[in-house]
Amino acid sequence: MKAGFEPGVAYTAEKRIQTMTSEIAGDRMESVLAEIRQIREQIRENLVTKADLAATETRIVKWMFGALMAQGAFIIAVIKLLG
């Protein structure tokens, strides 16, 4: 209206500009949203759960027990060999 157009034409032009702005922003936002979704999925894949930590702890304890048994057997064998 400030430019001298009738109220109906000015309203229509203003709505069209808003629609065009939304369309332009929408096209750009889709790529940004897709990238955010991809990053979120990668984060979910790389998260460690308490169950994962418990399983890892169990495996470590088993290996340590096995290593201690082997070390004990080695020490006994060396003592018998030298004794």
Side-chain angles (χ1 to χ4, degrees):
M1 289 187 345
K2 292 179 184 176
F5 293 104
E6 296 177 16
V9 174
Y11 176 79
T12 304
E14 182 181 347
K15 288 298 175 189
R16 181 62 187 141
I17 290 171
Q18 289 175 356
T19 303
M20 289 172 53
T21 304
S22 297
E23 290 171 354
I24 292 169
D27 291 343
R28 292 183 182 163
M29 288 303 293
E30 276 303 315
S31 63
V32 171
L33 290 174
E35 188 172 344
I36 289 172
R37 286 185 198 107
Q38 182 181 9
I39 291 170
R40 185 176 58 195
E41 190 62 35
Q42 289 174 353
I43 290 172
R44 282 186 184 160
E45 290 174 1
N46 293 327
L47 286 180
V48 176
T49 62
K50 288 183 181 181
D52 294 336
L53 292 176
T56 302
E57 182 182 7
T58 303
R59 287 196 315 249
I60 290 172
V61 168
K62 288 179 183 178
W63 276 99
M64 289 301 297
F65 183 73
L68 288 173
M69 294 296 288
Q71 183 179 7
F74 178 75
I75 290 172
I76 291 172
V78 169
I79 289 173
K80 283 189 176 189
L81 180 67
L82 297 177

